[in-house]
Structures are given as C-alpha cells and as structure tokens.
Amino acid sequence: MNLIQFWKENPKAAIAFSGGVDSAYLLYSAVQSGADVKAYYAKTAFQPAFELEDAKKLANQLGAKMEILPMDVLSVPNVAENPKNRCYYCKTALFTAITAAAEKDGFSLLLDGTNASDEVSDRPGMQALRELSVRSPLRECNLTKQEIRRLSKEAGLFTHDKPAYACLATRIPTGDVITPEKLARAEEAEGYLHSLGLRDFRVRTLGDAARIQVRSSDINKVLQNTDSILSHLKKLYSGVVLDLEVRP
C-alpha cells in the first residue's frame, strides 16, 4: 500500500499532530489527496513552545484545520511519578482525549505519525496506541524516516530537516518525580543552546546538574561557548557537564 491508496480507502480521518517531521508529512499527504482531515495538537507541559508554533505554522501553510487541546498531563495518574512505562500512561491519556475530540467532530478514525523506522516492540507508548486502535499510515506504507525527510524536502515542507525531538519528560531520569519546574528549566536551557546555533542536542538532568548531549560535530561549538553556557545554565542547575560518549 502507498499513501495515495491509503487516502482513497480512508478519505476521512483525524490526525494526532505534533508539528514534527512525520506528522507534518502525514498531514501534507492528506491535504494533497483531498481527504477530509483535521489535526489535533495536545498541548502539555511536555512540549516546548516552539513545537506548537511549528504546528500552527505548518497547518496554516497547508490550509489544514487544526485544534489545540490543552491538557494537564502531570495530573494523570502514574505520569508525574515517572515510572519506566510513563509513556504508556501519558499516551493513553493524550490519545483518549484526542479520540473524544475527534469523535465529537465526526471523525471515527485516528492516525499518528509513527513511521517504518520506529522501533515499536519495546515502546510502552506504542502499546497505548494499539489499545486505542490508532493507525499509523506511514508505517503501514513502509515509509522510513529518511524517505519521509526526502519527500518532505521535495514538497517544500520546512520540517524536512527538523531534528527528532523527544518530549521534555525524557530529560528527567526514570523514577525522579516530574515537576513543572524541572520541565521549564530543561526547556529554557535547551532554548539557550539553540540560540547558539546548536540543533540536535539534549540537556538532561543529572542529580541537580545539567548533562549536555550533542552530536560529535557540535562538541567544539559547545567548548567555544563554555563561558556563556556556564553563565546561563548555572542559573538553572547546580552544575553543568558535557557528555562525551552518549549522543542525543
């Protein structure tokens, strides 16, 4: 099956939309096919502000309908406690809310942007999607991340080279309670590094310190800006370390 066939068989659907590479291309393909679709963006403390802005920008460029669904994800049982399967509880809550909103709007089919490159066997969030009967057209059509980026570039989507972005909750070690303050400082720290020209990186919590993870090619850029990075991040964390082994 390809996406053209998929949309012929499923001409009406709701899309869980994050503004990332995959869901962006999925929404684009739906609009191009003439399908009756609507994008739903779940706005939580786990998403930084730029993700919502990207989502709104793309939906506007495509002329696609989009609804923002504010959610207090930290009030969901087992999410703030941050167990190993936190993503299962979070995805269940988010997609249940999106399903309800979509059904209210007359959509019985909900789609997400999981692609053929995503490992799904050991991801708790994928279990939630299966239980809620969420379909993943990109995966069903065997489209890999690399292929989606290529097709997105050909389509002129600004998301084609957007770095993969895991939610802010992944910056906090499993078992450590997630708080709005911890999420906010991670977002602020990453926003500062982005302002220095870094693109694919993470600022993770290490005790009460910040652990910076970047591509090997960007380590020199971090070292060249050591003083400014320390000055800014030490307002947020007790210390700052550069991880020379683990990549984002």
Side-chain angles (χ1 to χ4, degrees):
M1 177 185 290
N2 58 40
L3 281 177
I4 294 176
Q5 293 172 314
F6 179 87
W7 292 118
K8 283 183 179 179
E9 295 178 10
N10 304 278
K12 183 173 182 176
I15 296 177
F17 185 50
S18 68
V21 179
D22 301 321
S23 63
Y25 185 72
L26 181 61
L27 182 60
Y28 164 81
S29 71
V31 172
Q32 289 297 107
S33 74
D36 179 7
V37 295
K38 182 175 179 179
Y40 295 83
Y41 182 96
K43 184 179 182 295
T44 77
F46 288 176
Q47 279 74 45
F50 77 82
E51 288 281 58
L52 176 56
E53 292 310 307
D54 282 356
K56 291 192 293 187
K57 178 181 176 180
L58 188 72
N60 183 60
Q61 289 180 351
L62 296 177
K65 295 177 291 185
M66 174 180 159
E67 181 174 344
I68 301 169
L69 302 175
M71 288 192 63
D72 180 10
V73 72
L74 290 178
S75 69
V76 176
N78 298 309
V79 170
E81 287 78 6
N82 200 17
K84 289 183 178 180
N85 61 343
R86 176 203 71 245
C87 196
Y88 170 78
Y89 298 106
C90 184
K91 290 283 190 184
T92 296
L94 295 182
F95 278 81
T96 296
I98 294 174
T99 296
E103 289 180 346
K104 184 178 179 181
D105 291 336
F107 296 96
S108 59
L109 175 62
L110 178 58
L111 313 175
D112 89 314
T114 302
N115 66 60
S117 300
D118 291 326
E119 293 292 336
V120 301
S121 58
D122 61 346
R123 291 174 62 179
M126 294 301 102
Q127 179 186 345
L129 302 191
R130 288 193 296 268
E131 291 176 359
L132 294 170
S133 300
V134 177
R135 292 182 63 181
S136 305
L138 302 178
R139 187 172 183 82
E140 292 180 25
C141 296
N142 201 34
L143 287 171
T144 64
K145 191 74 160 189
Q146 183 177 6
E147 183 73 356
I148 293 165
R149 288 190 183 280
R150 182 185 68 80
L151 292 170
S152 296
K153 185 175 183 179
E154 291 178 0
L157 302 182
F158 72 86
T159 52
H160 75 91
D161 63 346
K162 186 175 179 177
Y165 191 87
C167 81
L168 289 170
T170 62
R171 312 303 192 268
I172 302 168
T174 299
D176 287 4
V177 174
I178 301 173
T179 66
E181 292 75 23
K182 291 178 182 178
L183 297 171
R185 72 176 180 176
E187 180 176 0
E188 182 175 343
E190 292 190 352
Y192 183 72
L193 293 188
H194 186 269
S195 74
L196 297 177
L198 294 166
R199 295 191 73 238
D200 193 3
F201 62 91
R202 302 285 185 268
V203 177
R204 302 190 190 277
T205 300
L206 180 66
D208 196 44
R211 180 176 64 168
I212 299 174
Q213 298 175 334
V214 297
R215 292 178 177 177
S216 300
S217 58
D218 283 336
I219 287 178
N220 284 338
K221 185 175 290 185
V222 173
L223 296 177
Q224 290 166 4
N225 290 279
T226 296
D227 290 343
S228 63
I229 290 173
L230 286 174
S231 175
H232 193 92
L233 266 61
K234 289 194 74 174
K235 297 175 184 177
L236 305 169
Y237 297 89
S238 63
V240 182
V241 299
L242 175 61
D243 193 327
L244 296 178
E245 181 178 8
V246 180
R247 300 292 167 254

